[in-house]
Amino acid sequence: MTVMHSISPPAPDVALAGRQTLAEYLQRLSEDEFYAFCQQNRDQKFERRADGTIELMSLTGGESGRRNSRLTSRLDRWAEDSGLGVVFDSSTGFRLPNGAVRSPDAAWVSQAAWEALTPEQRRKHVPLCPDFAVELLSETDTISDIVVKMQEYLDNGLRLGWLIDPKTETARVFRANGSVEVRNFAETLSGEDVLPGFTFALRTLS
């Protein structure tokens, strides 16, 4: 997506900046520079492709925010009760092994993987792929784009993913073995062996 003029770029090397466009400069940011760029623009939300291209993400509307909050709160309640891992909301950036930085609508990381990180790694974009991720389609999303994103998660170590489309009242369950299953809002999804004991009734998102 195009970077808007209201976005504050990091202070560039003057000679370097003079020889390239802003988009080219941003594409070459290091991990630390990209993190600093995100902190300078906290009122915006960004993701980054594996090739360094920065994407400006749209803010969600009220209905998407309500659904996302309901899903994240249920997941967090299960995580607290089980003690098996840590839950993250849609504002968290994950730096995947391929170099992309993604922020799923909800994510869960096992306790062992979280504790293996240093305090510095926990403070910035989390340098791993979550074990479980959810993408909840909003009005501005296209199903094909989010399917590609789910495949990227799987390629980088995701164990279980849900792609939920409230408009069609369907959910696609992506598994590490490559299988994809389509479910409807009359059904209840299971965390399977990744999130043992976690269930979520899709009808609560209607």
Side-chain angles (χ1 to χ4, degrees):
M1 299 182 182
T2 304
V3 177
M4 298 172 63
H5 293 296
S6 60
I7 295 171
S8 302
D13 177 275
V14 176
L16 179 63
R19 296 194 298 269
Q20 58 189 350
T21 66
L22 175 59
E24 291 172 335
Y25 177 72
L26 292 174
Q27 190 171 19
R28 290 169 172 77
L29 294 180
S30 69
E31 296 297 340
D32 286 342
E33 289 170 337
F34 176 61
Y35 178 78
F37 169 73
C38 293
Q39 299 309 297
Q40 292 168 3
N41 296 278
R42 290 176 177 271
D43 57 338
Q44 306 287 347
K45 180 181 177 181
F46 303 97
E47 289 189 337
R48 193 183 199 189
R49 297 178 189 169
D51 66 3
T53 302
I54 295 175
E55 299 175 314
L56 175 61
M57 312 306 291
S58 302
L59 296 178
T60 64
E63 281 295 342
S64 291
R66 176 186 67 84
R67 294 184 180 109
N68 195 37
S69 178
R70 179 161 296 179
L71 175 59
T72 304
S73 65
R74 302 287 172 85
L75 181 60
D76 189 55
R77 188 182 310 160
W78 168 84
E80 279 199 23
D81 291 343
S82 69
L84 294 177
V86 184
V87 172
F88 302 89
D89 67 12
S90 60
S91 64
T92 306
F94 290 89
R95 178 162 50 84
L96 306 183
N98 70 348
V101 176
R102 298 299 186 187
S103 54
D105 290 314
W108 176 86
V109 172
S110 71
Q111 196 67 35
W114 179 246
E115 291 180 353
L117 301 176
T118 67
E120 179 71 5
Q121 289 174 320
R122 296 182 188 184
R123 187 176 68 82
K124 296 184 177 181
H125 293 149
V126 186
L128 52 72
C129 182
D131 296 280
F132 170 70
V134 181
E135 290 288 352
L136 182 64
L137 264 69
S138 67
E139 292 295 326
T140 58
D141 290 326
T142 60
I143 187 71
S144 59
D145 287 343
I146 307 304
V147 167
V148 170
K149 185 181 290 188
M150 295 301 294
Q151 186 59 54
E152 182 180 46
Y153 290 140
L154 290 169
D155 292 343
N156 282 272
L158 185 77
R159 298 166 59 197
L160 179 67
W162 296 348
L163 194 170
I164 302 175
D165 185 354
K167 183 179 293 185
T168 61
E169 295 195 343
T170 59
R172 302 187 188 196
V173 179
F174 293 77
R175 301 184 179 89
N177 63 9
S179 67
V180 180
E181 182 181 1
V182 180
R183 310 287 292 274
N184 63 62
F185 270 32
E187 299 178 81
T188 296
L189 297 184
S190 164
E192 304 180 3
D193 60 342
V194 179
L195 310 172
F198 178 62
T199 59
F200 184 77
L202 288 167
R203 65 177 180 276
T204 62
L205 299 179
S206 297

